[in-house]
Amino acid sequence: MDERSEDYDVAGLAPEQLSEQQAEVELARLAAEILRHDQLYHQQDTPEISDADYDSLKRRNDAIEARFPGAVRDDSPSKRVGAEPAAGFSKVRHSVPMLSLGNAFEDEDITEFLARIRRFLGLEEEVEIAVLAEPKIDGLSCALRYENGKLVQAATRGDGSTGEDITTNVQSVAGVPKHLTGSDWPATLEIRGEVFMRHDDFRALNERQEARGGKVFANPRNAAAGSLRQLDASITASRPLTFYAYAWGEVSSPLGKTMTEVRANMASWGFTVNEPGRLCRSVEEILAFYRSVGASRAELPHDIDGVVYKVDRLDLQERLGFVSRAPRWAIAHKFPAEQAETLLREITIQVGRTGALTPVANLEPITVGGVVVSRATLHNEDEIARKDIREGDRVVIQRAGDVIPQVVSVLLDHRTAESAPFVVPENCPECGSAAIREEGEAVRRCTGGLICPAQSVERLKHFVSRNAFDIEGLGDKQVKFFFEKDMVSKPGDIFRLAALDLDSLTPLRKQPGWGTQSAENLFAAIEARRRISLDRLIFALGIRQIGQTTARLLAKTYGSLAKLRSAIVLANDRENDAYDDLINIDGIGPAMADDLIAFFAEPHNQEVLDDLAAELTVEDYVVEESGDSPIAGKTVVFTGKLETLGRSEAKAKAESLGAKVAGSVSKKTDFVVVGTDAGSKARKAEELGLTVLSEADWLAFIAPAG
Ligand code: IVH
């Protein structure tokens, strides 16, 4: 009898009918089965069985364990803590995504922010744009949902689309009303803001923690994060947290016409808003406010890391919309980086996934802005030469937000006589291949390509990273582990890990640092990613210059992996339509096209991709339903100066209706929209006999869909 059919029989037997051996087989099956349902329920929101069936699996597991205590597994579902079957919070999908903000560091960035808004909206320079400015609190963002004035759900930001349900935890957070005050709130109201810890609360917490030998937190932000996301809500309740409101998600009716108005409304409903807030009407006013907040930063009761500016008028916000993951109508103006002095012990060379050699400063560890820093980037060899940075130097380092720490300058007074300039190696420190700096390039690159282990590991790390395959439990450390053990050397190997492990004499669960639970969790997380969206896959390949935005653009243009592959291979010719189509995509220039073509022209890359594709289901890119859009799937070119729409707004609008916007006119163009002073493109359109529309015609044409 083969093992399968025996398993099958065992599952049909009552606990009292089982032999000890059969009990072991059945407990193993139940452990795996219950874990799978836990993950379907908690992580993927796609339960396959009813709660009652789930409970009966658990009861069967308990009954067998009661009869055979010696057969209880380490990973038994009965050993998992708490009433909830799986560790972790359940997931909440944000009906309106929770986005992040673009950053500004210099005054000029603010001038540019406003100029960009004017360009987008097609406004002249004299037109005033009022901006609401308020401090940027350094905590965790959180969404509170109210139905008929009653708090019904709280969620963390998570990845922006899905967060964690922290409804229980948030009950004890100061500034979270359980019932709204006032009366004019919408029936459905999702208020967003920041959960943070005040300085005095932070100090008191750390003193208590220290006194009882508990964890001491490095800074208030870490303390807030560690306190809010506690599975045991009674721990959260013992930690002093505060909530300030500054934004909103889903609402059943508008909250006002301006940010200022919404702020006042939020305050009247019982929320604390971020003070000081100021309505600014010019760059000068904005910068003056920024400096005054910066100067009084130390007097605020909590940490702030900058000032946020938001276009006050909500109708303008609506028109401005979003780029990638941040609104066009808001920006965070960060305070300057915190600096500190330390010893630069050694300069080492790191090899990236595209072979770039990056010098890294290894420092005597030092605390900067609440975080211990022991490494800083030196960017490239020119930067080292320009700042004359040497091993053994005392250096000033700085860190701003989540940016990698940098070496700002060298304290020459401390330099010793034996110090010597740093010499950049001419060979890759990882594989020994020549490292070459091409003309016009700032970086030196290892020419080892496929034989360089460092490049392979970095490519794999990128492949599983958050914006790519995002495989939980497969971080940098684990990738390196599997690579060094020869278990994963190319992306497709990841999806064969579980099968490999089944046949292994030294299975993962017996390896140091792993257990049955972590191994099974990892395999389940990998399994969950066999289905992947085309844009994520393209980004994951780690092609030079192809970031998330470009990956999305390519997915949208070509629709499927097969079409993308054949089109790019064809484009290698450079004189055909495939090439023209490629560089015609607005957002892809010849340099990017070169890198794409080079990637797909490499036979090894094709092999790796074939191997990977055999393991995956790659979802075709589906253009979102845009009603009865007359321009869905059509290619549009805008030329000349548009009167009512800014150029970028016109483009964003067309794309939101499912059209592709191209940079130049070809016979594949469906519509050419001409503004005033249109030049050669309008002429070419006439020559090709294309549909040419005025701006007014265009607006009328798309109006029914928009
Ligand atoms: S407005 C679309 N206002 O900063 C996002 N955000 O780095 C609109 N933050 O995710 C956000 N203080 O968690 C806004 N006064 C403030 C803020 C603020 C802190 C956070 C927020 C956001 C993050 C972006």
Side-chain angles (χ1 to χ4, degrees):
M1 203 191 301
D2 79 29
E3 244 179 57
R4 274 258 173 79
S5 57
E6 188 186 348
D7 280 358
Y8 180 79
D9 288 346
V10 169
L13 295 176
E16 52 280 9
Q17 294 173 301
L18 297 171
S19 70
E20 172 133 25
Q21 212 182 352
Q22 285 173 321
E24 276 173 14
V25 171
E26 178 63 341
L27 288 176
R29 183 190 72 88
L30 285 166
E33 182 77 345
I34 292 172
L35 177 67
R36 191 171 74 84
H37 290 301
D38 286 348
Q39 281 163 344
L40 285 170
Y41 182 88
H42 288 284
Q43 289 166 19
Q44 293 159 40
D45 286 329
T46 51
E48 284 179 5
I49 57 174
S50 67
D51 289 357
D53 288 348
Y54 176 84
D55 289 340
S56 94
L57 283 178
K58 292 263 287 193
R59 272 200 306 277
R60 178 170 171 83
N61 186 76
D62 293 349
I64 300 174
E65 284 185 352
R67 279 185 81 80
F68 301 101
V72 175
R73 301 167 60 86
D74 286 341
D75 62 341
S76 165
S78 63
K79 286 194 185 167
R80 271 177 239 146
V81 270
E84 285 293 307
F89 298 90
S90 50
K91 306 279 173 187
V92 174
R93 243 197 119 67
H94 300 300
S95 50
V96 177
M98 287 182 82
L99 301 156
S100 53
L101 291 173
N103 287 329
F105 295 95
E106 312 290 340
D107 293 357
E108 295 77 65
D109 297 341
I110 304 308
T111 317
E112 175 51 27
F113 167 65
L114 290 172
R116 207 159 52 227
I117 289 175
R118 285 202 178 85
R119 274 201 302 278
F120 189 91
L121 296 172
L123 300 177
E124 299 296 330
E125 225 184 291
E126 314 74 61
V127 182
E128 179 189 284
I129 297 175
V131 164
L132 176 77
E134 61 186 21
K136 180 171 181 322
I137 311 181
D138 202 7
L140 297 93
S141 42
C142 172
L144 306 175
R145 192 181 176 88
Y146 291 83
E147 299 284 357
N148 301 315
K150 184 173 180 297
L151 176 65
V152 293
Q153 189 175 59
T156 61
R157 175 171 184 271
D159 66 0
S161 329
T162 309
E164 288 174 329
D165 188 327
I166 50 161
T167 314
T168 317
N169 304 52
V170 92
Q171 304 293 328
S172 55
V173 175
V176 174
K178 313 279 179 310
H179 292 273
L180 300 178
T181 53
S183 56
D184 51 347
W185 25 258
T188 297
L189 172 65
E190 188 192 325
I191 291 290
R192 293 176 176 178
E194 204 84 350
V195 172
F196 60 94
M197 199 176 281
R198 295 164 49 104
H199 289 138
D200 49 358
D201 289 332
F202 169 70
R203 274 190 299 272
L205 170 66
N206 263 357
E207 277 165 23
R208 285 202 305 278
Q209 291 288 101
E210 201 164 355
R212 45 175 282 267
K215 182 180 164 67
V216 173
F217 295 97
N219 54 48
R221 209 206 93 86
N222 289 1
S227 302
L228 187 62
R229 293 187 65 260
Q230 284 284 343
L231 283 173
D232 179 351
S234 67
I235 300 181
T236 309
S238 72
R239 308 273 177 83
L241 296 169
T242 308
F243 176 84
Y244 279 5
Y246 52 67
W248 61 95
E250 191 183 341
V251 287
S252 52
S253 57
L255 304 189
K257 287 195 161 53
T258 61
M259 288 300 304
T260 317
E261 215 182 294
V262 179
R263 244 170 85 91
N265 283 335
M266 291 196 296
S268 78
W269 297 332
F271 296 98
T272 313
V273 294
N274 232 330
E275 297 293 355
R278 167 94 44 93
L279 190 64
C280 302
R281 300 182 180 280
S282 65
V283 175
E284 293 70 32
E285 276 182 45
I286 290 177
L287 296 179
F289 180 73
Y290 171 78
R291 293 197 222 300
S292 87
V293 173
S296 58
R297 194 175 169 189
E299 284 131 46
L300 284 172
H302 52 79
D303 273 353
I304 59 172
D305 57 351
V307 179
V308 182
Y309 309 130
K310 309 174 212 184
V311 170
D312 195 44
R313 271 173 55 182
L314 303 188
D315 60 330
L316 294 186
Q317 287 192 4
E318 172 90 13
R319 281 175 62 192
L320 286 160
F322 303 87
V323 228
S324 285
R325 311 198 50 82
R328 283 196 190 85
W329 45 262
I331 200 162
H333 193 178
K334 297 294 195 75
F335 290 130
E338 302 206 43
Q339 300 195 333
E341 255 179 64
T342 189
L343 172 73
L344 192 165
R345 287 177 175 158
E346 193 193 5
I347 297 175
T348 51
I349 302 288
Q350 225 170 41
V351 184
R353 78 185 139 88
T354 59
L357 268 49
T358 307
V360 176
N362 292 272
L363 309 165
E364 191 153 283
I366 178 141
T367 306
V368 197
V371 170
V372 179
V373 170
S374 56
R375 284 151 66 86
T377 175
L378 294 168
H379 300 291
N380 55 52
E381 52 196 272
D382 288 350
E383 173 89 355
I384 298 185
R386 193 168 62 77
K387 293 183 178 162
D388 188 20
I389 299 169
R390 305 179 184 189
E391 292 181 331
D393 277 345
R394 280 203 75 77
V395 291
V396 175
I397 61 155
Q398 72 175 24
R399 121 169 218 286
D402 40 14
V403 181
I404 307 167
Q406 298 173 309
V407 173
V408 184
S409 59
V410 173
L411 300 167
L412 289 173
D413 296 352
H414 293 75
R415 185 169 272 174
T416 55
E418 60 271 23
S419 124
F422 180 72
V423 185
V424 183
E426 303 208 330
N427 291 85
C428 169
E430 302 281 344
C431 72
S433 306
I436 292 179
R437 185 170 167 189
E438 298 207 347
E439 247 191 62
E441 284 249 351
V443 292
R444 189 174 286 273
R445 280 178 208 275
C446 160
T447 54
L450 304 170
I451 67 143
C452 179
Q455 288 187 46
S456 303
V457 172
E458 292 306 318
R459 274 196 299 268
L460 287 165
K461 284 184 193 168
H462 172 78
F463 183 83
V464 298
S465 63
R466 183 156 172 164
N467 295 322
F469 271 67
D470 189 23
I471 298 179
E472 211 174 313
L474 195 53
D476 289 2
K477 213 173 88 198
Q478 291 79 10
V479 167
K480 200 145 184 258
F481 170 89
F482 289 124
F483 184 83
E484 281 167 0
K485 292 234 176 279
D486 261 345
M487 292 163 77
V488 173
S489 57
K490 54 181 183 298
D493 295 341
I494 294 169
F495 295 92
R496 291 184 288 267
L497 262 180
L500 187 76
D501 202 57
L502 269 185
D503 297 332
S504 171
L505 295 175
T506 50
L508 196 54
R509 61 175 187 279
K510 301 221 169 111
Q511 305 270 349
W514 293 87
T516 309
Q517 188 72 56
S518 56
E520 281 179 5
N521 287 350
L522 174 65
F523 296 147
I526 292 173
E527 228 28 61
R529 291 290 184 268
R530 273 196 200 270
R531 195 174 228 324
I532 192 89
S533 63
L534 179 59
D535 55 326
R536 273 191 185 253
L537 173 71
I538 299 172
F539 174 68
L541 296 176
I543 304 167
R544 242 202 253 181
Q545 298 200 68
I546 310 300
Q548 259 184 298
T549 310
T550 315
R552 231 172 275 147
L553 210 54
L554 289 165
K556 189 169 159 192
T557 307
Y558 294 103
S560 75
L561 180 60
K563 286 197 190 126
L564 169 80
R565 289 178 74 170
S566 60
I568 307 289
V569 170
L570 273 177
N572 198 359
D573 185 350
R574 320 242 164 186
E575 272 172 18
N576 55 16
D577 287 356
Y579 182 73
D580 289 343
D581 288 347
L582 178 60
I583 56 167
N584 227 332
I585 303 175
D586 207 358
I588 295 194
M592 263 186 203
D594 284 349
D595 283 332
L596 267 170
I597 292 171
F599 181 91
F600 286 94
E602 168 67 57
H604 174 83
N605 288 338
Q606 291 284 2
E607 280 166 33
V608 165
L609 202 48
D610 285 336
D611 174 69
L612 175 65
E615 301 291 338
L616 302 176
T617 307
V618 183
E619 291 166 358
D620 289 353
Y621 190 94
V622 192
V623 179
E624 277 181 23
E625 264 305 320
S626 27
D628 299 324
S629 167
I631 58 169
K634 305 283 187 200
T635 302
V636 188
V637 173
F638 292 100
T639 180
K641 184 173 172 357
L642 303 178
E643 294 300 328
T644 57
L645 298 171
R647 179 64 75 83
S648 327
E649 186 178 12
K651 178 172 175 235
K653 179 85 189 151
E655 285 175 347
S656 77
L657 294 173
K660 286 178 220 165
V661 178
S664 62
V665 172
S666 76
K667 55 181 187 295
K668 294 208 173 142
T669 311
D670 295 294
F671 302 108
V672 180
V673 181
V674 288
T676 46
D677 303 328
S680 63
K681 288 183 196 172
R683 270 199 305 282
K684 186 161 179 203
E686 301 276 349
E687 280 163 28
L688 291 171
L690 304 172
T691 310
V692 178
L693 300 170
S694 69
E695 186 182 352
D697 290 346
W698 171 251
L699 288 173
F701 183 53
I702 62 172

